[in-house]
Amino acid sequence: SQTIHQWPATLVQPVGSPLSLECTVEGTSNPNLYWYRQAAGRGLQLLFYSVGIGQISSEVPQNLSASRPQDRQFILSSKKLLLSDSGFYLCAWSKAGARYEQYFGPGTRLTVT
Amino acid sequence: AQSVTQPDIHITVSEGASLELRCNYSYGATPYLFWYVQSPGQGLQLLLKYFSGDTLVQGIKGFEAEFKRSQSSFNLRKPSVHWSDAAEYFCAVGSFGNEKLTFGTGTRLTIIP
């Protein structure tokens, strides 16, 4: 069976510091991968998605970036965090060509102080 | 472009009572429809999905949803709610050839004794 991992689970970072959140998927190959952000009391905002290694699509211009160095690894980064980057970050995966139902990781709670 | 509307931000239901959460979508062709549930501080869990065929679909935890093309709706139902059903519920729509899902803004469900 497939599993998706995210770490860290929680993170408190000062404004202006860098960020690296990691997501890995096990039990499948060539998945589509997604990064979402969920602000307090808000819905899901798609930030990035990837259909293959090195292929990243950005949905919202911002100071975040994403990379996919390996087939089942998806990384969300920032060089300098803003207060507005606080939120709950969710990684998800779907099978390529399988109608795109998505399966979510446990999330990372980021607080920028 | 596809879109999803969840008109109810917050619903309160007594334990043991029936539940219906509304979801309306906008998409020209046959959509792929999903309901997800999110407990506080957790990732999203897929409750059920509709791709084609029987318009009444059964999901996990005793939930069901009915696809009504004429009303562009995919409402989630449960005949008798349990306190553990308290959570945020998201409706989502996808389509063939589109790697992305569009999520509604969510409905928060509160269960009272």
Side-chain angles (χ1 to χ4, degrees):
Chain A
S1 64
Q2 300 86 11
T3 55
I4 178 169
H5 304 279
Q6 284 186 248
W7 63 91
T10 60
L11 191 60
V12 180
Q13 292 284 95
V15 169
S17 64
L19 172 73
S20 181
L21 302 182
E22 190 165 343
C23 170
T24 59
V25 180
E26 296 177 353
T28 188
S29 60
N30 193 32
N32 296 328
L33 296 170
Y34 308 83
W35 277 112
Y36 291 88
R37 178 169 58 202
Q38 194 174 26
R42 303 284 297 276
L44 291 164
Q45 179 187 34
L46 178 62
L47 302 175
F48 302 94
Y49 72 95
S50 171
V51 299
I53 295 175
Q55 301 179 61
I56 309 294
S57 297
S58 174
E59 291 296 297
V60 182
Q62 60 218 326
N63 71 319
L64 298 172
S65 62
S67 62
R68 185 171 178 173
Q70 301 180 46
D71 181 43
R72 292 169 290 175
Q73 183 186 31
F74 205 24
I75 297 172
L76 183 69
S77 303
S78 174
K79 292 182 180 178
K80 289 185 177 182
L81 283 168
L82 307 172
L83 285 174
S84 58
D85 291 323
S86 293
F88 192 51
Y89 288 81
L90 289 159
C91 182
W93 73 274
S94 69
K95 289 184 181 179
R99 294 167 171 166
Y100 310 128
E101 59 197 79
Q102 294 180 16
Y103 299 92
F104 286 79
T108 294
R109 173 73 59 191
L110 172 66
T111 303
V112 182
T113 60
Chain B
Q2 56 198 32
S3 66
V4 178
T5 301
Q6 292 182 249
D8 304 306
I9 295 174
H10 185 203
I11 283 182
T12 299
V13 177
S14 297
E15 189 168 14
S18 63
L19 170 70
E20 183 168 26
L21 301 182
R22 296 184 291 166
C23 172
N24 294 98
Y25 68 91
S26 174
Y27 181 66
T30 299
Y32 302 148
L33 294 161
F34 309 87
W35 274 101
Y36 287 85
V37 61
Q38 185 182 31
S39 297
Q42 304 295 316
L44 277 70
Q45 181 182 20
L46 180 64
L47 280 176
L48 47 75
K49 57 195 176 187
Y50 171 80
F51 296 131
S52 64
D54 191 347
T55 56
L56 184 63
V57 294
Q58 303 296 321
I60 61 172
K61 305 185 179 186
F63 286 92
E64 65 178 25
E66 186 171 12
F67 171 58
K68 293 186 177 180
R69 183 186 300 275
S70 62
Q71 298 177 22
S72 297
S73 69
F74 189 58
N75 293 350
L76 182 70
R77 302 194 294 247
K78 187 170 185 178
S80 176
V81 297
H82 186 262
W83 63 266
S84 60
D85 293 324
E88 187 97 20
Y89 291 80
F90 292 93
C91 182
V93 63
S95 56
F96 180 79
N98 186 352
E99 298 88 353
K100 300 179 288 184
L101 296 182
T102 300
F103 285 84
T105 52
T107 297
R108 183 161 62 93
L109 175 64
T110 298
I111 307 296
I112 55 176

